[in-house]
Amino acid sequence: MASKFQAPRGTFDVLPEAARARARLERAAAEIFARAGYETIATPAFEDTALFERGVGQSTDIVRKEMFTFEDKGGRSLTLRPEGTASICRAYLEHGMHKLAQPVKLSYLGPFFRHERPQAGRYRQFHQLGAECIGSDSPLADAEVIMLLSDLLSELGVPGVELRLGSLGSLEARRAYLEDLKAHLHAHEGELSKDVRERIDINPLRAFDADDEGTQGVMASAPTIVERLEGEDAEHFQEVRSLLDAAGISYAVDSTLVRGLDYYTRTIFSFVCDQLGAQSEVGGGGRYDGLIEQLGGAPTPAVGFAAGIERILLALDEAVPAAGRDAFLAVADPGQRRRAMALVVELRHAGISAEVDLAERSLKGQLKHADRIGARQVLILEADGSAQLRDMETGEQRTADTGKLLEEMTGGEP
Ligand code: ATP
Ligand code: MG
């Protein structure tokens, strides 16, 4: 009985089987965040459009073409959040979190929205988990957030992961470099793709991401910022590398790495997975020392990451089996239904997962149902008040002591 309604393009339902793998991921992330002192923050699913225009950047793909923007009844322009960092920085400012012990370490998990062309690993509503460490410019903070994501991916057992690391330098160094990069691109305009050519002056870094041969040829000889890092920027990058080396985290320095957001400074990183084809990035992030000032706060250094939950799950591609039920309460006689209902609640309070027939089936139907839901034992309440306990794995059945039904059921469990 198919309905004429379907989930909107680029969205999906998480059915119970998939929800189990997702729950395992969420639990692992929550534990890693808690152990490292990253407390949870939750922000609204939509914000003022201007927050993302400012905080993500006018020249980015996200702001240029991927936002779900709408007007509310009061004529305000709102946007479904395409990413988490701008909202968290807004909350940091709004709630005066600069008065707390610094750095403020936060983590989040939830749905995000981008109007993209749907394909495997790319959706219009997807989920990210992430962490932000706000209020320290030390390379120690960069190393810590990289380690958190590295830990999560290895704890989950994501195969074929590689960490790519780069640096964009400080805002000033980055600005000077961008001028040289623009000059290089203008000098080779004829060889560039139309999209890259049109954006030379708005977002020249994106040319490193282009997949056409012409642009790639031009980029092979382009100046990179990593090779010209100097002074404190170079020291900062070197220290991040030394910290990762000391922690035994391997990485490849990638001087062509760019990130989708405008506000990155210094460290940028990306975890890619070779099992994922075109949408290979499972997560990434970097330092964004200029963002909070950009949003109207005092200059505040910060670093963070975001990882795509669907991409991690795709890379893991695992089926987590259903837990099954400890017990099922069946009735041989309809007169016993109330007793069964009272007992099932008692069992649940004692920490046992237990179900009772909710469809008023015959005894045979109940036993079949108990088998389908994977119940390990079935208690059959008889008309005369006695009870039979059946072990569904061995098929053994015996008379239960009705005075101690709770003990009977718990005792049957290892
Ligand atoms: P991509 O280059 O794949 O578009 P991005 O640079 O836009 O990625 P970020 O903005 O850094 O990605 O988002 C962090 C992570 O969120 C990505 O590494 C990816 O795992 C995930 N992600 C981003 N966009 C989507 C999407 N539309 N659907 C599913 N996951 C996504
Ligand atoms: Mg993108």
Side-chain angles (χ1 to χ4, degrees):
M1 202 186 356
S3 119
K4 66 186 166 102
F5 294 114
Q6 292 184 337
R9 189 167 147 75
T11 70
F12 52 85
D13 299 308
V14 180
L15 302 180
E17 196 186 327
R20 293 196 291 269
R22 202 169 268 260
R24 174 179 167 255
L25 186 165
E26 292 178 6
R27 266 196 309 274
E31 274 170 28
I32 283 173
F33 288 145
R35 288 198 297 259
Y38 284 70
E39 291 216 75
T40 305
I41 183 167
T43 61
F46 56 85
E47 298 266 0
D48 278 346
T49 301
L51 173 69
F52 299 120
E53 287 171 348
R54 277 262 194 122
V56 178
Q58 297 276 6
S59 74
T60 59
D61 282 349
I62 293 178
V63 172
R64 284 171 74 243
K65 46 190 188 198
E66 296 173 1
M67 297 207 299
F68 280 96
T69 296
F70 60 98
E71 217 173 71
D72 73 2
K73 290 184 166 43
R76 283 169 289 260
S77 180
L78 298 172
T79 293
L80 298 183
R81 59 182 189 181
E83 58 99 53
T85 305
S87 307
I88 290 172
C89 290
R90 194 261 312 133
Y92 179 92
L93 288 172
E94 184 170 337
H95 303 288
M97 289 194 228
H98 63 280
K99 292 185 221 124
L100 305 176
Q102 306 291 303
V104 174
K105 305 201 294 184
L106 301 166
S107 65
Y108 63 93
L109 187 153
F112 293 87
F113 309 85
R114 296 184 193 178
H115 202 287
E116 302 205 68
R117 195 167 64 79
Q119 47 199 298
R122 192 177 294 288
Y123 312 97
R124 291 185 174 174
Q125 175 171 347
F126 59 100
H127 298 76
Q128 285 184 343
L129 59 87
E132 313 289 358
C133 178
I134 306 176
S136 166
D137 63 5
S138 166
L140 292 162
D142 306 52
E144 177 162 284
V145 299
I146 293 172
M147 284 176 206
L148 285 179
L149 183 50
S150 170
D151 270 357
L152 176 64
L153 298 174
S154 55
E155 191 168 312
L156 289 169
V158 180
V161 173
E162 190 191 295
L163 167 59
R164 297 187 184 151
L165 189 69
S167 175
L168 295 172
S170 61
L171 281 177
E172 304 82 75
R174 182 178 158 173
R175 240 173 251 135
Y177 164 72
L178 290 182
E179 288 314 310
D180 291 354
L181 181 59
K182 285 181 203 169
H184 177 78
L185 292 170
H186 279 300
H188 296 86
E189 269 188 41
E191 297 147 63
L192 301 174
S193 73
K194 182 166 167 288
D195 192 48
V196 171
R197 191 162 57 238
E198 282 170 356
R199 280 203 280 165
I200 293 179
D201 293 306
I202 8 182
N203 196 348
L205 280 178
R206 266 295 174 187
F208 282 112
D209 259 358
D211 40 28
D212 67 286
E213 261 179 47
T215 307
Q216 284 176 351
V218 175
M219 297 325 281
S221 62
T224 69
I225 189 146
V226 170
E227 71 202 8
R228 30 189 276 179
L229 287 177
E230 49 182 38
E232 289 181 10
D233 287 345
E235 279 165 33
H236 196 278
F237 189 48
Q238 188 47 53
E239 189 55 25
V240 173
R241 295 184 56 175
S242 305
L243 288 163
L244 294 179
D245 291 339
I249 295 180
S250 53
Y251 56 84
V253 172
D254 182 348
S255 55
T256 68
L257 191 63
V258 294
R259 304 274 329 147
L261 316 180
D262 266 2
Y263 49 64
Y264 284 114
T265 51
R266 292 191 166 167
T267 313
I268 48 174
F269 57 92
S270 170
F271 283 84
V272 292
C273 168
D274 63 14
Q275 316 278 303
L276 284 179
Q279 271 60 250
S280 63
E281 189 187 274
V282 288
R287 178 164 278 289
Y288 49 93
D289 290 346
L291 177 61
I292 290 190
E293 193 179 4
Q294 175 78 17
L295 296 178
T300 309
V303 57
F305 77 79
I309 291 183
E310 287 75 22
R311 297 217 187 146
I312 296 176
L313 292 172
L314 274 173
L316 285 172
D317 188 27
E318 62 178 0
V320 177
R325 239 61 85 229
D326 295 330
F328 187 85
L329 292 196
V331 293
D333 177 83
Q336 296 294 314
R337 284 211 174 95
R338 280 197 199 132
R339 190 171 154 228
M341 203 70 192
L343 192 54
V344 84
V345 170
E346 219 181 302
L347 287 173
R348 290 171 187 169
H349 288 172
I352 297 175
S353 63
E355 286 195 59
V356 67
D357 173 41
L358 298 177
E360 308 198 9
R361 291 176 176 85
S362 68
L363 179 59
K364 199 170 152 219
Q366 293 175 62
L367 292 176
K368 209 169 140 195
H369 185 67
D371 194 41
R372 281 190 78 178
I373 65 169
R376 281 176 281 279
Q377 48 181 348
V378 178
L379 187 73
I380 305 165
L381 303 180
E382 306 283 352
D384 62 3
S386 68
Q388 298 288 318
L389 191 59
R390 181 194 287 229
D391 183 318
M392 296 296 276
E393 270 139 45
T394 62
E396 270 168 50
Q397 187 164 315
R398 64 181 173 82
T399 303
D401 179 348
T402 48
K404 297 185 188 152
L405 279 181
L406 199 62
E407 287 86 338
E408 290 271 24
M409 307 296 290
T410 42
E413 277 304 294

